[in-house]
Amino acid sequence: MRVVSICPSNTEIMAYLDRTNLLVGVDNYSDWPESITNLPKVGPDLSIDMEKVADLNPDLVLASLSVPGMEKNIAALDEKGLPYIILDPNSLMEIADDIEKAGIAIGEEELGKHKKEAFLTDLQYYREQAKVKSAKPSLYWEWWPKPVFTPGSVNWLTEISELAGAENIFATEKTANFQTDWEEVKKRDPDHICMVWVGVKEEKMNPALVRKRPGWDKMKAIKLDNIHVLEESLFCRPSPRLLEGLRKLKKAIS
């Protein structure tokens, strides 16, 4: 098969299936694994060049709706008459389901089922570990600093927090993406601040700016110097690489 992925998390699902050899093109932001970095690029995920996609003559396009604005990619795929599936998970279980769905779409149903089960087994391992942890530190995840965006309960990062033996301070909000402000974060007084600014490399995130926010010097996380600059690629993409992020998170907050 000839497969084009137009979202980084979809590319990473193909890697989890060990089928990156089927990829003939990817979006500009797909950067893992290294083996795909020399493939033809079809544009940034919010403005895919469908002419380039069509020129690659794909048997399947792995599309997404994980970011607002991707709807126009679906419309363009329909207009071109290109075959596609949409992977749009918010939870870890939905990521597992999409691993199987991608396997079925590339004609490898048994592989998809096997990899789904492997992913769920890994999750269960961390779930059992989290059960025996008595103290649960509180985490504030910062997707964007101003305006402040953070994951709510309907997002994989709340689950990742729990699997690390911690809790997301905004798990009270019944949404995937919650807009708040610095004052509300200060009120909830987290034990740890996790900086995962979407689309921003770690070297561009400055913890010193976080410390300077009005009144934040009184927060537990600031007093204890628990500010963690984390790789957004390991936490902001709904793919099996979240397991690698989970391992790094556990180490950071231990």
Side-chain angles (χ1 to χ4, degrees):
M1 288 190 74
R2 297 176 60 82
V3 180
V4 175
S5 168
I6 56 175
C7 178
S9 55
N10 293 348
T11 306
E12 292 167 11
I13 285 176
M14 287 294 286
Y16 191 70
L17 291 167
D18 297 318
R19 291 297 181 268
T20 53
N21 60 300
L22 301 181
L23 292 170
V24 294
V26 295
D27 67 282
N28 290 10
Y29 298 136
S30 284
D31 55 8
W32 190 91
E34 190 176 343
S35 61
I36 61 91
T37 55
N38 291 325
L39 288 174
K41 301 295 191 293
V42 295
D45 56 3
L46 283 175
S47 51
I48 297 294
D49 186 334
M50 283 304 161
E51 290 292 343
K52 287 184 177 179
V53 175
D55 287 346
L56 292 171
N57 193 28
D59 299 303
L60 177 69
V61 177
L62 298 178
S64 174
L65 289 171
S66 62
V67 178
M70 286 182 167
E71 299 83 3
K72 63 183 180 182
N73 290 334
I74 308 304
L77 285 164
D78 285 332
E79 187 178 331
K80 290 285 184 187
L82 295 171
Y84 67 87
I85 61 170
I86 300 171
L87 306 181
D88 183 27
N90 275 312
S91 69
L92 295 176
M93 189 66 225
E94 288 174 350
I95 292 170
D97 288 340
D98 279 354
I99 292 168
E100 181 178 18
K101 182 177 180 179
I104 293 169
I106 62 173
E108 301 210 38
E109 183 174 355
E110 287 305 311
L111 174 65
K113 286 181 179 178
H114 170 70
K115 287 292 189 175
K116 173 184 179 177
E117 289 306 315
F119 181 67
L120 291 175
T121 297
D122 282 343
L123 294 180
Q124 186 59 29
Y125 167 77
Y126 289 106
R127 194 170 288 117
E128 294 297 327
Q129 284 195 329
K131 279 182 185 176
V132 300
K133 190 170 179 182
S134 52
K136 293 189 181 296
S138 56
L139 312 182
Y140 163 57
W141 292 94
E142 187 163 281
W143 268 339
W144 200 248
K146 198 172 183 182
V148 175
F149 282 99
T150 187
S153 65
V154 194
N155 182 265
W156 58 84
L157 283 183
T158 292
E159 295 178 272
I160 290 292
S161 301
E162 293 167 355
L163 292 174
E167 55 188 8
N168 171 15
I169 62 169
F170 284 98
T172 53
E173 310 306 320
K174 308 300 181 188
T175 183
N177 189 10
F178 183 65
Q179 183 173 350
T180 185
D181 54 42
W182 293 347
E183 189 62 29
E184 184 60 29
V185 176
K186 186 174 74 172
K187 281 184 197 173
R188 301 197 186 203
D189 197 16
D191 296 310
H192 296 266
I193 296 169
C194 300
M195 298 173 66
V196 284
W197 294 357
V198 177
V200 179
K201 296 292 185 184
E202 303 89 84
E203 58 270 19
K204 298 290 186 181
M205 291 186 273
N206 187 357
L209 297 177
V210 173
R211 293 188 185 94
K212 290 178 181 177
R213 293 174 184 173
W216 277 38
D217 58 321
K218 297 179 175 61
M219 286 168 48
K220 285 180 289 187
I222 303 294
K223 287 179 179 178
L224 296 170
D225 198 28
N226 286 340
I227 306 178
H228 312 289
V229 177
L230 301 171
E231 297 165 78
E232 65 97 24
S233 62
L234 295 181
F235 294 94
C236 298
R237 298 175 183 177
S239 90
R241 289 189 78 206
L242 287 168
L243 291 171
E244 185 180 343
L246 172 55
R247 288 188 282 272
K248 291 197 173 187
L249 176 64
K250 286 191 68 170
K251 186 175 180 181
I253 66 175
S254 61

